[in-house]
Amino acid sequence: MIDRVLQAIDSHRDQSIESLCDFLRIPSVSTQLEHKSDMHRCAEWLGKQLEGCGLKVEIAATGGHPVVLAKNEHRPGRPTVLIYGHYDVQPPEPLDLWKTPAFEPTIRKNEAGVDAVYARGAVDDKGQVWCHVEAIRAWQQQGGLPINVTFLIEGEEEIGSIHLDEFIKTHKAELKADIAVVSDTNQFARGWPAITYGLRGLVYMEVFITAADHDLHSGMFGGAVPNPANVLCELLATLHDPDGRVNLPGFYDDVAELTPREREEFARLPFDEAEFKNELKLTELYGETGYTTLERRWARPTCDINGLTGGYQGHGAKTVIASKASAKVSMRLVPNQDPKKIETAFKQALIDRCPKGVQIEFQSHGGSPGLVVPIDGRAMELAAKAIERGFGKKPVFMREGGSIPILGLIKQELGLDTLLIGFGLPDDRVHSPNEKFDLDAFYAGTRTAAALYEELSRL
Ligand code: BES
Ligand code: ZN
């Protein structure tokens, strides 16, 4: 049966790319209010496509953007697989850096000379969701899926899944499954498909410094009044020590340390630091002393300024002491660190370090814990077989540094472990201009998804 399904996938390639491009044309930017109606349009469009595959679809309202929920006919005695993904995308800005427009998907050769589709969301996560849609379509055309599938595609992953918590808590029965499957991660490298068994968590904070009630001439007042931008810079400069460690009291207290075995396994992966630097056009790397680059990216907690504002931003010079300054700071967490505790430590440290005479305020943009899933289970074994079928190569096991905020809750509320089986590549420029998805990764991903459903039917 699987052979016929894979053949159907192969003969449907051109149409599958066309439909993916239709998906990519909808500017479903979850964080920008002006795209609210595009979010609805995107959910409806996806729902229609899934209906076309013979699934029963519900577009469920939440306190924010809608959730697309779809199921085949569930039969007793078969394993149920919850496939989670997201149809929302990151903002496309800065627009002038796109070689072709973000929401006009274009197929052209990438830097490695391979065909790829370029668009915002190409790989994160519409393209990877589409691998599953095409795999489901093929199975349905060949007589039906061998497992019970619940497809849960949300519209708020890129803004921390703020309303999905509530949805999951109130739809537990509908979401009951044996395992969760997520394709929203990467291969280790071109030619090195992977299963990811760990992700970092996240705490995202914004800090605001204000002083005088209006902007001041920097010649008349400079040196005699507190300058919010100066204060902000002083505070931010305290966040790391000279060893590249995060300088917040208690930050490392609960960190799950890497085991010697895991460090050995990371070291065995074919990671070339010179090539990594070269791809990023960097001459030096940076990070916590005592850890390798892969360890720093995948398994160590970190802190980075993600946005910085204050004072005059226009062309040329303006001599002014602005009355406010602010920064957006994200901290990536590893297992056992508690997002709430880290948020409190961040706030308290900055309050303690803040000089008198300015106001300091915070806004929290949410948090999620780090995650590791067991690698020795039956599902992992089956997933490895599916990858071998889809990519023609055995997978490596790796962790990743990014976050998928809802997975903690999927474990906690639904009791499900997640299989992270992603098809992207490290050079796909996710969250950046010129995001892309290699077409051969898209095809191999679709074949892998189809093979995975067959493998998981043995669970
Ligand atoms: N697909 C990514 C998660 C990811 C990134 C996995 C890199 C593996 C490697 C996901 O869509 C994402 O970007 N998540 C956000 C979550 C945040 C906005 C709460 C992230 O990690 O920044
Ligand atoms: Zn994503």
Side-chain angles (χ1 to χ4, degrees), residues 70-315:
K71 294 184 182 193
N72 62 338
E73 190 201 319
H74 284 196
R75 295 203 206 145
R78 283 180 168 184
T80 302
V81 178
L82 177 70
I83 305 173
Y84 164 84
H86 59 99
Y87 68 85
D88 67 323
V89 301
Q90 286 274 331
E93 286 80 8
L95 296 178
D96 55 318
L97 295 185
W98 285 84
K99 293 195 178 118
T100 50
F103 297 109
E104 291 175 26
T106 308
I107 292 164
R108 61 169 188 272
K109 296 233 179 299
N110 65 20
E111 278 151 25
V114 191
D115 276 338
V117 53
Y118 283 81
R120 170 57 83 234
V123 67
D124 185 9
D125 183 28
K126 287 175 171 173
Q128 299 199 65
V129 166
W130 207 250
C131 291
H132 286 278
V133 175
E134 290 296 341
I136 288 174
R137 192 195 314 279
W139 269 106
Q140 295 286 76
Q141 279 165 357
Q142 301 301 317
L145 281 154
I147 49 172
N148 300 333
V149 162
T150 302
F151 218 56
L152 171 68
I153 309 298
E154 71 150 321
E156 298 191 327
E157 195 274 348
E158 300 289 7
I159 49 174
S161 297
I162 32 189
H163 295 95
L164 198 62
D165 281 34
E166 177 70 19
F167 183 84
I168 286 182
K169 286 180 187 156
T170 54
H171 291 73
K172 275 193 188 176
E174 264 178 88
L175 298 172
K176 196 171 175 304
D178 298 294
I179 189 167
V181 167
V182 177
S183 296
D184 194 18
T185 50
N186 297 307
Q187 305 178 54
F188 179 74
R190 199 165 268 111
W192 291 86
I195 293 176
T196 294
Y197 68 91
L199 290 174
R200 290 194 290 185
L202 184 70
V203 166
Y204 200 113
M205 298 296 296
E206 199 162 359
V207 49
F208 303 87
I209 307 289
T210 49
D213 74 341
H214 58 280
D215 291 1
L216 302 171
H217 189 291
S218 69
M220 289 169 68
F221 296 93
V225 296
N227 179 339
N230 290 9
V231 170
L232 182 68
C233 291
E234 282 162 28
L235 290 177
L236 295 176
T238 68
L239 289 174
H240 292 92
D241 72 11
D243 287 330
R245 283 170 68 86
V246 179
N247 179 31
L248 295 172
F251 188 79
Y252 291 94
D253 283 2
D254 302 324
V255 164
E257 293 292 335
L258 279 151
T259 61
R261 162 101 191 270
E262 219 179 358
R263 298 188 85 167
E264 269 167 40
E265 269 156 19
F266 284 14
R268 263 209 298 276
L269 291 168
F271 178 71
D272 182 338
E273 198 151 296
E275 206 177 292
F276 180 70
K277 279 196 271 198
N278 193 32
E279 259 168 35
L280 303 175
K281 304 285 175 289
L282 284 172
T283 56
E284 291 297 330
L285 297 178
Y286 161 88
E288 185 185 1
T289 307
Y291 294 91
T292 66
T293 297
L294 288 186
E295 290 167 356
R296 289 169 177 170
R297 291 166 65 205
W298 294 351
R300 294 299 296 168
T302 51
C303 173
D304 274 289
I305 299 167
N306 287 195
L308 199 52
T309 315
Y312 179 61
Q313 311 276 322
H315 177 73

Side-chain angles (χ1 to χ4, degrees), residues 382-391 421 447-448 451-452 455:
L382 297 171
K385 283 198 190 136
I387 287 189
E388 215 175 327
R389 186 89 202 223
F391 282 82
I421 184 163
R447 293 167 59 91
T448 299
L452 181 67
E455 292 296 340

